[in-house]
Amino acid sequence: AVVTSLHNPRLRAAAALRERRARTREGRFLVDGTREIGRALDAGFAVLEAFVEPVAVAADPARAQLVEHLRAQGVAIVTVGPEALGKVAFGDRSEGIVAVVAAPHDIEDLEGLGAALPADPLMVVLEGLEKPGNVGAVLRSADGAGVSAVILADPVADPWNPNTIRASLGTVFSLPLRIGSSGAVRTWLADRGLRIVAARVDGATDYDAVDLTGPTAIVLGSEAQGLTDAWSGEGIEAVRLPMLGRADSLNVSATAAVLCYEASRQRRLSRSRPGRT
C-alpha cells in the first residue's frame, strides 16, 4: 500500500528526526539523496528504513538500483506518495528516497580512533562550529585532501543535521568522525605526539611556512568566536592566512581547504624526495 496520509505514525516518527532533539533521543537521523544514502551504506552505517516515492525513483536507474539494494539487505521499504515524501525530505531537492539511519555508537570514543589512524596522520579539529553547512563543507575538503580523521570539539552544529550531510556530499560517512571536549581533544592529540597547528587571524607564522608533513592536527574555530584559549599556549603553533584585501579572514570552510591541501602538497613533495618511500 502507498502511504499518503501525513498522519501515518511511521511517517510522523521519521519526520520528527528533522529536529535535533529527536535525533539525539532516538539515535537516528535522516539521509536524503541517492549518493548520500549509497555512501552511508558503503561506510557500513545501518539503514533502518527507507521512504520511497516510486515515480521519482523509476525516473533514475541509479535510484531504482539503490532501492533494490536496500530491499536485498532487508531494509524496510515504505512506499509513499509525493506529499508524504515531502514531509520527511529535506529542502526542495527530492530524489524520491529518504532513509532513516542509525547513529554510530562510537562517535565520542576518542581512544578507539587511534587504531584507525596511519603512522603520520593528518587530522582536522573543528571547535564550536555553529553552521552545519560549514561542517559539511570542511568534511568535503578534508576528504578530498586525504585527511585521516575529523574531530568536532565542543560542537554546536549537529554532525547528523541534513545540511551537514548534504554539504559534505555524504563524505561525513566515509571519514572517521569523533566528538569531544576541547580539553580532552587537545590532551588526546598531545599524548599521541601530533603537532597542533591552530589557524588564527593573529597567528605568528604564514600557513605555508610551517611543516605539515608529520603527524599533524589542524585546528579551526568558529567564524563568530574563533578558537578558545584551549588552543593557545605551549604546544600550539598558531598560523595565519595572509589577507591582502579588505576582509580580515576567510570562511572557515575555505580556510580548511587551503590548509588541508597545503598539508597534502607538502606530504606529496616529502614522499617524492630521494630516500623516501
Side-chain angles (χ1 to χ4, degrees):
V2 177
V3 174
T4 57
S5 171
L6 302 185
H7 301 290
N8 177 275
R10 204 166 187 174
L11 189 71
R12 292 180 64 182
L17 298 176
R18 295 174 70 163
E19 299 297 328
R20 181 172 187 167
R21 182 178 300 178
R23 293 194 295 269
T24 302
R25 182 181 66 246
E26 301 296 334
R28 302 179 175 194
F29 59 94
L30 297 174
V31 182
D32 192 342
T34 308
R35 172 179 52 204
E36 289 81 355
I37 296 171
R39 287 180 173 169
L41 280 172
D42 291 342
F45 279 69
V47 178
L48 306 176
E49 62 183 349
F51 294 86
V52 174
E53 198 281 294
V55 175
V57 167
D60 186 303
R63 298 174 194 171
Q65 184 177 18
L66 174 62
V67 172
E68 290 309 310
H69 182 50
L70 291 169
R71 197 188 307 275
Q73 291 199 354
V75 175
I77 304 297
V78 182
T79 305
V80 296
E83 189 176 357
L85 184 74
K87 189 173 179 66
V88 294
F90 176 69
D92 57 1
R93 187 204 73 171
S94 176
E95 296 184 9
I97 176 170
V98 177
V100 176
V101 178
H105 295 296
D106 62 354
I107 191 70
E108 297 181 2
D109 180 18
L110 286 175
E111 294 305 317
L113 177 61
L117 298 178
D120 60 341
L122 173 62
M123 302 183 65
V124 170
V125 177
L126 303 176
E127 185 190 43
L129 264 62
E130 305 99 336
K131 298 179 180 179
N134 278 339
V135 175
V138 173
L139 288 166
R140 181 177 176 180
S141 295
D143 174 77
V147 167
S148 308
V150 174
I151 299 178
L152 306 182
D154 293 330
V156 177
D158 178 11
W160 311 125
N161 183 292
N163 261 325
T164 304
I165 297 168
R166 178 174 293 184
S168 78
L169 296 185
T171 56
V172 66
F173 304 120
S174 57
L175 273 169
L177 182 67
R178 295 294 188 275
I179 290 175
S181 69
S182 291
V185 173
R186 177 171 175 173
T187 299
W188 187 88
L189 295 171
D191 287 348
R192 283 153 184 79
L194 273 78
R195 169 179 286 160
I196 302 175
V197 177
R200 292 183 175 275
V201 294
D202 59 351
T205 308
D206 284 353
Y207 75 98
D208 55 356
V210 64
D211 182 5
L212 300 172
T213 58
T216 303
I218 297 170
V219 186
L220 303 106
S222 71
E223 291 181 50
Q225 305 296 330
L227 289 170
T228 66
D229 290 341
W231 303 101
S232 61
E234 186 178 355
I236 304 294
E237 196 162 358
V239 300
R240 67 173 182 268
L241 271 65
M243 300 298 295
L244 307 181
R246 296 180 64 86
D248 63 356
S249 65
L250 296 178
N251 174 281
V252 64
S253 62
T255 301
V258 171
L259 291 172
C260 288
Y261 274 92
E262 172 61 18
S264 179
R265 182 191 70 83
Q266 290 186 20
R267 288 162 183 252
R268 289 198 308 273
L269 288 176
S270 177
R271 288 193 294 268
S272 67
R273 291 171 186 154
R276 296 296 298 269
T277 57

